[in-house]
Amino acid sequence: SQNPGMQAYAEPAAQLGQIGQLSVRLASNAAEVRAAQRLRHRVFFEASGHHDHSAGLLDADRFDGYCEHLLVIDEARDAPLSERIVGTYRLLREERAGAARGYYSEQAYDVQALVSRHPDRRFLELGRSCVLPEYRSKRIVELLWQGIWAYCNAHSIDVMFGCASFAGAVPAAHA
């Protein structure tokens, strides 16, 4: 991550859920965060029609070091962990957003107005979600949300929000 001193990692193997051969947990070290960033680059870059599988290319920004990174791992794949990560979601709790000088979504939305109106609520920003194309299914979405639900319960989260980007301007293409 770009702010390694800010990152607090989960305990190794702190599993938040499992469906069949797929498990979900938080990244537990910088190498796992980099693997999630490589996955994000691969998925987001290929979504725009490019096919560059360079292992060194990362989708990273200033928020990564303040976020926790949810990982979906294919436990049945015979490969190093970095190659078994098939999905990811980035989580930014309100208390860490202050240190990050805000939320990623604030680039497009007035999130602080929402947060300020609800001082009794705990907020979580969800972002940079991606899954390898061959794993995209209802099952993987269920597993991601199982992990997010466990995370929200552990941190007493009241409100989740985020933004998503879609290539192009034709809604039917994303139906």
Side-chain angles (χ1 to χ4, degrees), residues 37-46 57-59:
Q37 292 168 326
R38 276 192 295 280
L39 174 69
R40 289 180 354 212
H41 179 273
R42 180 177 169 194
V43 170
F44 297 152
F45 196 70
E46 288 182 8
L57 299 175
L58 305 175
D59 172 70

Side-chain angles (χ1 to χ4, degrees), residues 11 17 42 55 58 68 88 101 136-137 154 164 166:
E11 292 294 319
R42 180 177 169 194
L58 305 175
E68 292 176 278
T88 188
R101 298 182 324 275
R136 292 179 189 158
S137 68
F166 295 94

Side-chain angles (χ1 to χ4, degrees), residues 6 8 10 13 18 41 43 61-62 71 98 107 110 116 127 142 148:
M6 296 302 302
Q18 183 157 0
H41 179 273
V43 170
D61 63 26
R62 70 179 185 87
L71 308 175
Q107 296 173 78
D110 187 4
S116 296
E142 289 172 351
I148 291 167

